[in-house]
């Protein structure tokens, strides 16, 4: 029934939010298979399932799978809704995130600007979806080294998320993490550490100490100590992060390799 199919997708979203991407992937693919059998390919529920499949694959570090799912979702949404629709903007935003992670920064920036423009036309300047795109664009600006511009975007997104969702929402945490990373890049280490510790504590409360977001925040904390000239403390934190990640996600996940590279860089500096 439609209820059963959509409930599978809801279970996938919940599992991902709890830091269980394998479970999320299983539920999302089950929902996708059932919706395709029921409706064919060109249907809004198929597109939504594909977005959730992409989200789970992204969290699992399977970037090609995530890209394939989101690109297919975008094609379906354009066919179903036309180009000027909020659902199309959602897929454009997700594709921009994945292009950024591929290192295709120019394409990512163009997609973010397209998404912001479309969402502002459809929803107005003060809207959670607009804030989400500004938040993601701030992360891209950070990657590109545009730190002052990134700080402006990150603060804008953080203040909007606080108004819309409150202090303890996952998007508010993510925006605080973005701003902390930018502060680190600007050499504002006290502000970066305070923001990162707040994010770490929040994720530990909801995902546990080995949850992927908690380990990500712990890794960021280690990088702050390395950059401020305390390699001994940085090594201790990064070894802890590596052990936690290995327990939760296994040795093959690409994020584990990133943590180990950070650790190797810290050891070389010490």
């Amino acid at each position: 029934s439609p209820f059963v199919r959509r409930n599978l997708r809801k279970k996938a979203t919940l599992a991902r939010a709890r830091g269980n991407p394998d479970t999320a992937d299983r539920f999302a693919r089950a929902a996708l298979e059932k919706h395709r059998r029921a409706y064919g390919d060109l249907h809004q529920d198929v597109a939504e399932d594909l977005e959730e499949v992409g989200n789970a694959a992204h969290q699992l570090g399977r970037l090609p799978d995530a890209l394939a799912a989101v690109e297919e979702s975008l094609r379906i949404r354009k066919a179903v809704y036309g180009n000027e629709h909020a659902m199309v903007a959602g897929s454009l935003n997700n594709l921009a995130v994945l292009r950024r992670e591929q290192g295709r920064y120019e394409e990512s920036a163009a997609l973010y600007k397209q998404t912001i423009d479309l969402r502002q036309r459809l929803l107005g300047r003060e809207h959670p979806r607009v804030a989400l795109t500004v938040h993601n664009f701030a992360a891209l600006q950070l990657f590109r080294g545009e730190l002052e511009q990134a700080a402006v975007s990150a603060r804008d997104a953080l203040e909007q998320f606080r108004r819309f969702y409150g202090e303890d929402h996952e998007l508010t945490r993510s925006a605080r993490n973005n701003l902390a990373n930018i502060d680190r890049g600007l050499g504002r280490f006290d502000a970066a550490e305070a923001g990162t510790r707040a994010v770490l504590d929040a994720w530990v409360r909801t995902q546990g100490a080995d949850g992927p977001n908690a380990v990500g925040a712990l890794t960021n904390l280690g990088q702050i100590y390395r950059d401020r000239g305390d390699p001994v403390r940085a090594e201790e934190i990064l070894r802890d992060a590596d052990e936690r990640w290995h327990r939760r996600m296994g040795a093959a996940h690409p994020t584990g390799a990133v943590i180990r590279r950070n650790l190797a860089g810290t050891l070389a500096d010490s």
Side-chain angles (χ1 to χ4, degrees):
S1 70
F3 172 79
V4 171
R5 293 191 291 267
R6 289 174 182 170
N7 194 48
L8 284 168
R9 185 168 65 235
K10 288 179 182 178
K11 288 181 176 180
T13 303
L14 182 60
R16 183 168 50 83
R18 289 176 171 171
N20 297 308
D22 285 307
T23 302
D25 183 62
R26 186 170 67 254
F27 281 130
R29 289 184 182 278
L32 176 61
E33 182 182 351
K34 289 179 182 296
H35 275 130
R36 276 187 161 145
R37 284 205 305 267
Y39 301 128
D41 286 336
L42 289 180
H43 192 273
Q44 61 188 26
D45 279 314
V46 173
E48 290 190 41
D49 292 339
L50 283 164
E51 291 288 336
E52 197 55 55
V53 167
N55 287 334
H58 183 200
Q59 200 172 58
L60 286 164
R62 301 199 310 250
L63 191 57
D65 291 344
L67 278 163
V70 172
E71 286 173 341
E72 186 178 356
S73 174
L74 178 60
R75 287 193 295 271
I76 293 170
R77 285 176 165 176
K78 284 183 174 180
V80 171
Y81 300 115
N83 291 337
E84 295 280 315
H85 194 279
M87 289 295 190
V88 171
S91 292
L92 287 170
N93 179 83
N94 292 342
L95 185 57
V97 172
L98 297 173
R99 291 295 186 215
R100 183 197 74 202
E101 296 202 5
Q102 279 187 304
R104 294 162 69 170
Y105 298 143
E106 293 299 325
E107 290 180 45
S108 179
L111 285 163
Y112 277 131
K113 290 173 183 176
Q114 186 180 350
T115 307
I116 292 169
D117 181 59
L118 178 55
R119 282 181 163 167
Q120 286 180 342
R121 288 201 308 273
L122 294 171
L123 306 170
R125 297 186 65 84
E126 293 285 320
H127 190 279
R129 296 292 183 182
V130 175
L132 176 62
T133 313
V134 172
H135 164 64
N136 289 335
F137 190 37
L140 175 64
Q141 290 171 310
L142 171 61
F143 273 101
R144 299 176 80 181
E146 300 166 352
L147 297 180
E148 294 293 348
Q149 302 95 312
V152 172
S153 298
R155 288 193 185 95
D156 181 16
L158 177 58
E159 289 309 310
Q160 288 198 58
F161 286 151
R162 280 172 167 157
R163 287 198 300 274
F164 294 133
Y165 302 120
E167 193 64 44
D168 207 37
H169 192 274
E170 64 178 276
L171 286 173
T172 307
R173 295 175 193 174
S174 185
R176 290 190 73 174
N177 186 67
N178 246 8
L179 187 56
N181 286 334
I182 294 163
D183 282 333
R184 177 168 67 91
L186 289 167
R188 302 169 183 162
F189 296 123
D190 288 342
E193 181 177 353
T196 301
R197 286 191 180 280
V199 171
L200 174 60
D201 290 345
W203 282 120
V204 168
R205 284 198 308 273
T206 54
Q207 289 188 348
D210 292 350
N213 294 105
V215 177
L218 189 65
T219 302
N220 290 341
L221 185 62
Q223 291 173 314
I224 291 167
Y225 274 95
R226 183 191 64 195
D227 290 353
R228 75 190 310 172
D230 189 348
V232 174
R233 181 67 176 132
E235 179 188 349
E236 178 183 320
I237 292 170
L238 290 170
R239 286 193 186 280
D240 186 15
D242 185 42
E243 289 170 6
R244 294 186 192 189
W245 191 264
H246 189 273
R247 283 197 301 268
R248 183 63 175 266
M249 304 298 287
H253 192 286
T255 298
V258 173
I259 297 171
R260 287 188 291 277
R261 281 199 300 272
N262 287 328
L263 179 58
T266 300
L267 292 172
D269 291 340
S270 61

